[in-house]
Amino acid sequence: MLIRADSAEHIGTGHIMRCLTLAKLLYERGISITFISKPHKGHCLDEVRRAGFKVIELPVTKPAEYEGSWCPHAKWLGGTELNDAEMSLAAIQPVTLSERVIVVVDHFSLTSQWHDTVKEALNAKVVVIDGLADRALQCDVLIDPNLVLDAQKKWGAKIPKSTRLMIGPEYFPLRGEFTQISPILRKSVKRVFVCFGGMDKDNATLFVCELLAKWSETLDDPVSVDVVIGKHHPHKQEIITFCGQHDIELHVQASNISSLMSQADLAIGGGGTISWERCMMALPTVILTIAQNQVAQANALEAMGAVVYVGDFNTKCENLKEVGQRVINVLEDLRCSSDKLNEMSAKALSVMDAYNHAQPWVDEIIS
């Protein structure tokens, strides 16, 4: 099996990390895996190699800010998608492939042109992981782990009629550590978990740490705070310094995120793939979106009562003061109302009601 995904400061680490989890699940089923990826600035391919998987690195033929126009996230690719497909095919020639090739694609810059080119050249089964529905896809299986009210309305015009749809959080490749801890419903805010993913280029992490430090000073019984960042976080040193000065527990490249979540009473973070991990741990969350593609999911989770969505965070935001005050207002509200916190916790857990720890859908994509 081949997996085409990228990570970078401008992309984040979520695509690679969920594909890495999927790769481990497939490996347990006897499937050989090779990743194809570009070493953009801030990539996390060392994590893939450390897990024992082969990585083929493609050259970044254009800078990350390449202004492609074939789809909304074209500029993420660092080159054209046709060139990317051709380089991918050329690079895998030395790799021994089984008679039946499966290609998993988790990349917002790649469209039906890439899928068609690779599918035809390898006679491959193409599996796409995507939640945006902002471009045409050519795939045999589509995995959209988001909350979707009307799959046909969202995807009907973007995929072939024959595509097998796997829609909903139950199709998210959840790491094994999240099956080892029984979730509990929260009743009070004594510990806060902060994580905006591995990259967080605009440094929402530090923004929230500053808010929590000031808020905690006003409390008779200050809350404890755990902050998680990736080892390639572009603002790592600033965060290390601030946390050291304010008695905030910082975890760099943590390997025990499920444990940290289980110990927390409330999370503050983005609206990306970590949402499903927080829900599995019944962890209520205050969401600040750090990318436009997180907004729909944040709204859907708020509609279910699992989170409070306080707005967008980026360095160009003109109302950061108001966003910060909304965060504080939610903290105060939940700290004073154990019933609200408990209800949010239960609603978060209910998001994952259909999840099966055996993850039988993995067998379906290789059948």
Side-chain angles (χ1 to χ4, degrees), residues 296-361:
Q297 201 54 48
N299 282 322
L301 285 165
E302 183 172 56
M304 291 190 70
V307 310
V308 176
Y309 173 35
V310 295
D312 178 54
F313 178 90
N314 63 68
T315 53
K316 297 178 182 178
C317 222
E318 297 179 356
N319 64 333
L320 282 183
K321 186 174 181 180
E322 290 84 352
V323 171
Q325 188 57 54
R326 286 199 289 272
V327 173
I328 297 302
N329 291 344
V330 175
L331 288 169
E332 288 285 1
D333 186 34
L334 294 177
R335 188 168 176 268
C336 296
S337 177
S338 60
D339 289 344
K340 285 184 181 180
L341 187 71
N342 190 261
E343 183 178 3
M344 276 184 70
S345 184
K347 292 293 180 59
L349 185 58
S350 72
V351 170
M352 303 302 288
D353 276 348
Y355 198 84
N356 182 338
H357 287 311
Q359 302 189 90
W361 61 270

Side-chain angles (χ1 to χ4, degrees), residues 1-3 18-35 53 102-104 127 129 143 173 359-367:
M1 177 178 285
L2 303 170
I3 295 178
R18 68 180 174 187
C19 283
L20 181 55
T21 301
L22 177 58
K24 291 175 181 177
L25 293 168
L26 290 163
Y27 181 77
E28 292 171 359
R29 290 159 167 81
I31 305 297
S32 176
I33 310 290
T34 297
F35 279 75
F53 296 107
I102 301 174
V103 181
V104 175
V127 178
I129 304 175
I143 302 172
Q359 302 189 90
W361 61 270
V362 177
D363 296 303
E364 290 186 48
I365 68 174
I366 58 178
S367 62

Side-chain angles (χ1 to χ4, degrees), residues 192-196 205 208-209 212 225-229 266-269:
V192 178
F193 172 87
V194 178
C195 182
F196 286 87
T205 302
V208 169
C209 285
L212 289 172
V225 180
D226 287 296
V227 176
V228 174
I229 62 173
L266 181 70
I268 304 177

Side-chain angles (χ1 to χ4, degrees), residues 88-297:
S88 297
L89 290 169
I92 64 175
Q93 293 306 314
V95 178
T96 301
L97 299 174
S98 61
E99 290 185 9
R100 185 166 185 241
V101 180
I102 301 174
V103 181
V104 175
V105 187
D106 189 345
H107 205 303
F108 293 160
S109 301
L110 301 179
T111 74
S112 57
Q113 183 184 41
W114 193 101
H115 307 143
D116 268 331
T117 302
V118 173
K119 181 180 179 66
E120 183 176 344
L122 299 177
N123 190 27
K125 179 179 183 178
V126 175
V127 178
V128 172
I129 304 175
D130 191 275
L132 296 187
D134 64 352
R135 63 206 187 282
L137 307 177
Q138 179 65 44
C139 51
D140 300 284
V141 179
L142 172 67
I143 302 172
D144 179 354
N146 294 324
L147 295 167
V148 179
L149 293 177
D150 188 335
Q152 187 57 38
K153 181 179 179 180
K154 179 177 181 179
W155 284 108
K158 303 293 194 306
I159 57 174
K161 291 182 179 179
S162 60
T163 299
R164 164 78 166 94
L165 289 175
M166 296 183 175
I167 306 290
E170 61 266 36
Y171 295 104
F172 180 74
L174 200 67
R175 298 198 304 276
E177 64 177 286
F178 288 91
T179 68
Q180 308 300 318
I181 300 175
S182 297
I184 58 171
L185 302 185
R186 277 42 173 211
K187 296 180 179 178
S188 60
V189 180
K190 296 182 179 179
R191 195 173 197 94
V192 178
F193 172 87
V194 178
C195 182
F196 286 87
M199 205 53 65
D200 178 26
K201 63 182 176 63
D202 290 324
N203 208 5
T205 302
L206 184 59
F207 174 76
V208 169
C209 285
E210 291 171 344
L211 285 178
L212 289 172
K214 291 179 181 178
W215 179 61
S216 191
E217 288 175 358
T218 69
L219 305 177
D220 294 331
D221 185 16
V223 298
S224 300
V225 180
D226 287 296
V227 176
V228 174
I229 62 173
K231 67 180 180 180
H232 298 301
H233 195 292
H235 307 282
K236 180 169 69 174
Q237 195 52 56
E238 292 176 68
I239 296 169
I240 289 174
T241 299
F242 186 87
C243 289
Q245 293 171 344
H246 293 84
D247 197 28
I248 293 174
E249 194 72 29
L250 178 64
H251 309 266
V252 180
Q253 205 63 39
S255 60
N256 63 332
I257 289 181
S258 59
S259 177
L260 293 172
M261 285 186 180
S262 71
Q263 295 167 21
D265 303 300
L266 181 70
I268 304 177
T273 57
I274 196 173
S275 296
W276 315 126
E277 297 172 350
R278 294 185 304 232
C279 286
M280 184 58 79
M281 291 291 100
L283 185 58
T285 302
V286 179
I287 287 183
L288 287 82
T289 52
I290 59 173
Q292 188 59 35
N293 56 48
Q294 296 182 357
V295 172
Q297 201 54 48

